[in-house]
Amino acid sequence: MKAIFREGFGPFLAMFLLGLMVSVPLRAGPAGEVTVGAVYPLSGALASTAKLSRDGIEFAVDIINKRYDLALPLARSEGLPNLGGAKIRVIFGDTQGSPEVGRAETERLITGEKVVAVVGAYQSAVTATASMAAERLSVPFLNPDSTSPTLIQRGFEWFFRATPDDDIMSKNFFDFLKDLETKKGVRVRTVALVCENTLWGTDVCKFERKYAKDYGYEVVAEMLYPARSTDLSSEVQRLKAVRPDVVFMASYISDAILYTQTMQKLDFNTQAILAMDAGHVDPAYLKTVGKSGNYVFSREVFSADLGQRKPLVRLVNEMFKKRAGYDLEGTSARSFTAMFVLADAINRAASTEPAAIRKALRETYLSSDKIIMPWGGVRFDVATGQNVLGRGIIVQIQDLKYWTVWPWHLASRDVIWPMPAWTQRR
Amino acid sequence: MILLQGVVNGVLLGLVYALIAAGLSLIFGLMEIVNFAHGQHLMLAMYGAYWLAVLYGVDPLLSLPLWAFALFLLGVATYWLVIARVLRAPMLAQIFSTFGLGVFLQSLAQFVWSPDFRLVPSPLVKGRVEAFGLFVGIPELVASIGAVVAFSVLYLFVTRTESGMALQATSEDREAAALVGINSHRMFALGWGMGLACVGVAGVLLSNFYYIFPEVGFPFALIAYVAVALGGFGSIPGAFVAGIIIGLTEVLSGLLIGPAYKYLFVFLIYLVVVIVRPQGLFGRY
């Protein structure tokens, strides 16, 4: 007895001290609670978009904290089992869509609210500054939804991004074209690149040019046009002159509408239009152009019709729709998924120490059947923090709806290629 | 052929620019006040045409006289409520008053009608015609014909009617006109009414083929300022010619040089005019 006591005392003391540290963590709210920060543009011009993110996050937290029979991580338990069933509590910060406010809010959440990690911030420019604050204060920043490729080129050690970026999704287009050529016998030789001329559009054009070259397509026109032009007839005429097999587009909503109208007016026909989401997937696009929008392709990050091939998506979407009143879409689905990635890491870390959570995030591996996204899964590159298994899907507008058409195993409809000429449409 | 198509597109576009610029020019020529809410007035006319079409099924072409008149009244009201109060104020105050009015109208539109994009559902004029390999949108054609008609009416009014003469007299010399019994306040109000009626007509014609949202007027107004500077402040024929020149410049430079540079050339015109001929093509100042 005495020997056991003597021999066991050292480890016992160590265990006791460790237990003390765990039970009185530095960064945690009331007992049994882990606080996480979320910074989004809750007010201002993007308020309606931020609401999508918020709905996604709150739904995810509900599933994590309560017991649900779903194949999602932590759904079948209450709270985080490795932290004694601790519940996740999210504290929101309002970036107002401004990089400066985004940075300040992130700082406030970390230093004032003692959050263990931060998610956010939708706009790439705000994510850039907010993650800078997290980097400086050594707290993990998990970005669900900003697609600027520059975000992962900064050498940050506390930054993680779940979504595929514009680089990856530009590449997806060319994989799609190659797939079409082998499977459907489609012949594409020349492409035209049409991009709006701010940072986003010029970046997209840059990647598309690079991949077009790598994949052996001839770029017959590369047009940077002023966003929010009053007239786009000269652009469309240029396209008519070079007759590309495929047109790549990166446009905001007003230009997307005007292009569609002008192409119809000037009778510009091509095999296909491949759009880099934004304007072409804005709900206002189809509402405004109607039937003229049919047959346009766009890359997307998510589509509710994925549920046809993936029962988990259908189940989650039904629950979400009951709660929020609308279908899951790219923004809500990505913030929803990011919360699971984070909660899974915190649970595996079994700690609320930021360094331990970062380590767990770096060791993350979620297989594709555990997430609702069409990705190959979630695994972060240690150097950049990018989810290397992320990938986009390609949707096509058919009968005034967006349908997933690629990758084939997720497709809910077959591709219509080429798009019919304007004169042959009803 | 491509060049010819470009010229056609440029002229059609230019005529709409011209009509928007005419209203701006008229007001400036009369009292040397720039209406910085011009784009927002255009937006109001577009929304007006849209809502009549959606709620009561009245086609924009049919509601055109109504909105021209409504914008006329709005112009008169704007003069009495806002402009008359800053008539003798420093120029900066005049700028702020119309600029503030613009911000107010735009925010109001965003608040009441949301930032959504809208398009008049199946207007009376739609589709396109094809002739000799040239494609022309019918609504654009109607809009440019409408612009020519509106211009003719405006020109005849100013040069052939007694009120028009009085308007011209006031713009030449306020005090002298007052001496012969012309009430300058009434003339100013008339000028604002006419100016906004022009932009009202332009807005309704535009609503036949252009999307509508709260900020739609801004790029058009920006180009209208260039047109006014080029045509000569206060000159109605000047606005007409300048509008077409700018429409052609925009389309042809986009076509021949590169879309990224098209507004560069449009605003280059502005710079050249300011440096070489500040009074513009037809200007008096």
Side-chain angles (χ1 to χ4, degrees), chain A residues 223-224 226 228-231 233-235 237-238 240-241 253-254 257 261 264-267 287-288 423, chain B residues 2 5-6 9 13 17 116-117 119 128 135 140 209-211 215 219 250-251 254-255 257 259-260 262-263:
Chain A
M223 274 194 292
L224 294 171
R228 289 191 56 193
S229 286
T230 51
D231 176 81
S233 61
S234 52
E235 286 81 351
Q237 270 194 270
R238 285 190 141 222
K240 275 191 88 162
I253 175 67
S254 47
I257 294 170
Q261 291 173 332
Q264 181 167 18
K265 187 181 79 191
L266 295 178
D267 197 44
K287 232 165 64 188
T288 312
T423 46
Chain B
I2 287 173
Q5 175 82 57
N9 290 338
L13 181 68
Y17 286 163
D116 280 353
F117 285 71
L119 209 59
R128 57 161 196 234
F135 295 91
E140 283 90 337
F209 61 93
Y210 210 81
Y211 54 76
E215 288 173 46
E250 181 182 332
V251 173
L255 189 61
I257 297 158
K262 60 184 187 182
Y263 290 118

Side-chain angles (χ1 to χ4, degrees), chain B residues 52-71:
Chain B
L52 263 192
V54 169
L55 298 178
Y56 300 101
V58 184
D59 191 81
L61 274 191
L62 300 176
S63 66
L64 192 136
L66 178 74
W67 288 113
F69 186 64
L71 266 282

Side-chain angles (χ1 to χ4, degrees), chain A residues 247-266:
Chain A
V247 180
F248 286 78
M249 303 194 67
S251 300
Y252 288 123
I253 175 67
S254 47
D255 316 326
I257 294 170
L258 198 53
Y259 261 118
T260 305
Q261 291 173 332
T262 311
M263 285 176 176
Q264 181 167 18
K265 187 181 79 191
L266 295 178

Side-chain angles (χ1 to χ4, degrees), chain A residues 104-413:
Chain A
E105 274 297 278
T106 308
E107 270 175 13
R108 180 184 70 80
L109 289 176
I110 295 170
T111 57
E113 303 281 353
K114 308 278 185 227
V115 298
V116 301
V118 181
V119 296
Y122 186 71
Q123 295 150 285
S124 291
V126 182
T127 300
T129 57
S131 59
M132 228 175 263
E135 183 80 12
R136 193 168 56 74
L137 296 166
S138 301
V139 164
F141 191 99
L142 175 59
N143 166 247
D145 40 27
S146 304
T147 59
S148 169
T150 51
L151 288 173
I152 53 163
Q153 292 161 1
R154 300 177 296 172
F156 278 19
E157 303 206 324
W158 297 86
F159 183 73
F160 296 88
R161 177 164 70 182
T163 187
D165 64 6
D166 291 334
D167 186 354
I168 295 172
M169 287 189 275
S170 300
K171 185 171 177 296
N172 285 162
F173 275 144
F174 291 92
D175 292 331
F176 171 58
L177 282 183
K178 283 289 171 212
D179 262 13
L180 277 172
E181 287 178 15
T182 50
K183 292 209 172 149
K184 310 251 168 197
V186 164
R187 285 271 301 137
V188 174
R189 210 174 45 77
T190 58
V191 300
L193 312 179
V194 179
C195 304
E196 61 87 33
N197 69 353
T198 67
L199 179 69
W200 173 67
T202 39
D203 265 0
V204 170
C205 247
K206 204 168 67 194
F207 290 115
E208 288 174 345
R209 191 194 322 132
K210 184 184 87 186
Y211 287 116
K213 194 164 161 260
D214 289 355
Y215 282 70
Y217 295 102
E218 186 193 347
V219 179
V220 287
E222 182 175 340
M223 274 194 292
L224 294 171
Y225 69 91
R228 289 191 56 193
S229 286
T230 51
D231 176 81
L232 293 167
S233 61
S234 52
E235 286 81 351
V236 174
Q237 270 194 270
R238 285 190 141 222
L239 289 177
K240 275 191 88 162
V242 294
R243 302 168 152 275
D245 292 334
V246 169
V247 180
F248 286 78
M249 303 194 67
S251 300
Y252 288 123
I253 175 67
S254 47
D255 316 326
I257 294 170
L258 198 53
Y259 261 118
T260 305
Q261 291 173 332
T262 311
M263 285 176 176
Q264 181 167 18
K265 187 181 79 191
L266 295 178
D267 197 44
F268 169 71
N269 296 299
T270 177
Q271 285 188 28
I273 290 169
L274 299 178
M276 187 59 96
D277 75 344
H280 286 91
V281 297
D282 192 303
Y285 176 69
L286 267 186
K287 232 165 64 188
T288 312
V289 301
K291 273 194 305 198
S292 309
N294 273 336
Y295 312 112
V296 168
F297 290 94
S298 176
R299 65 91 158 157
E300 250 296 11
V301 286
F302 184 82
S303 168
D305 75 350
L306 289 168
Q308 294 188 11
R309 289 296 183 92
K310 209 170 170 179
L312 176 65
V313 178
R314 199 181 57 239
L315 267 168
V316 170
N317 187 43
E318 275 166 13
M319 288 167 65
F320 181 77
K321 203 170 178 182
K322 205 179 280 173
R323 212 183 132 99
Y326 58 93
D327 279 311
L328 273 169
E329 44 64 67
T331 306
S332 47
R334 281 187 291 181
S335 60
F336 174 84
T337 305
M339 278 318 290
F340 283 98
V341 172
L342 186 59
D344 167 69
I346 297 173
N347 186 52
R348 276 185 293 106
S351 160
T352 52
E353 271 309 306
I357 295 170
R358 174 175 71 169
K359 183 166 172 292
L361 274 170
R362 284 179 169 172
E363 289 161 0
T364 292
Y365 177 69
L366 285 177
S367 55
S368 69
D369 55 331
K370 289 220 174 62
I371 53 174
I372 59 167
M373 302 305 291
W375 306 335
V378 180
R379 191 169 65 216
F380 295 107
D381 180 54
V382 175
T384 62
Q386 172 65 37
N387 173 17
V388 291
L389 299 176
R391 65 161 179 242
I393 54 172
I394 291 175
V395 295
Q396 184 176 29
I397 304 174
Q398 296 179 9
D399 305 324
L400 295 175
K401 276 204 186 87
Y402 294 91
W403 301 91
T404 306
V405 293
W406 188 88
W408 312 122
H409 71 277
L410 295 172
S412 57
R413 280 229 182 161

Side-chain angles (χ1 to χ4, degrees), chain A residues 63-64 70-77 340-341 343-344 366 370-371:
Chain A
I63 293 177
I64 294 163
L70 290 168
L72 295 162
L74 303 169
R76 294 197 172 99
S77 59
F340 283 98
V341 172
D344 167 69
L366 285 177
K370 289 220 174 62
I371 53 174

Side-chain angles (χ1 to χ4, degrees), chain B residues 125-136:
Chain B
V125 287
K126 59 184 169 204
R128 57 161 196 234
V129 286
E130 188 189 347
F132 314 113
L134 292 179
F135 295 91
V136 177

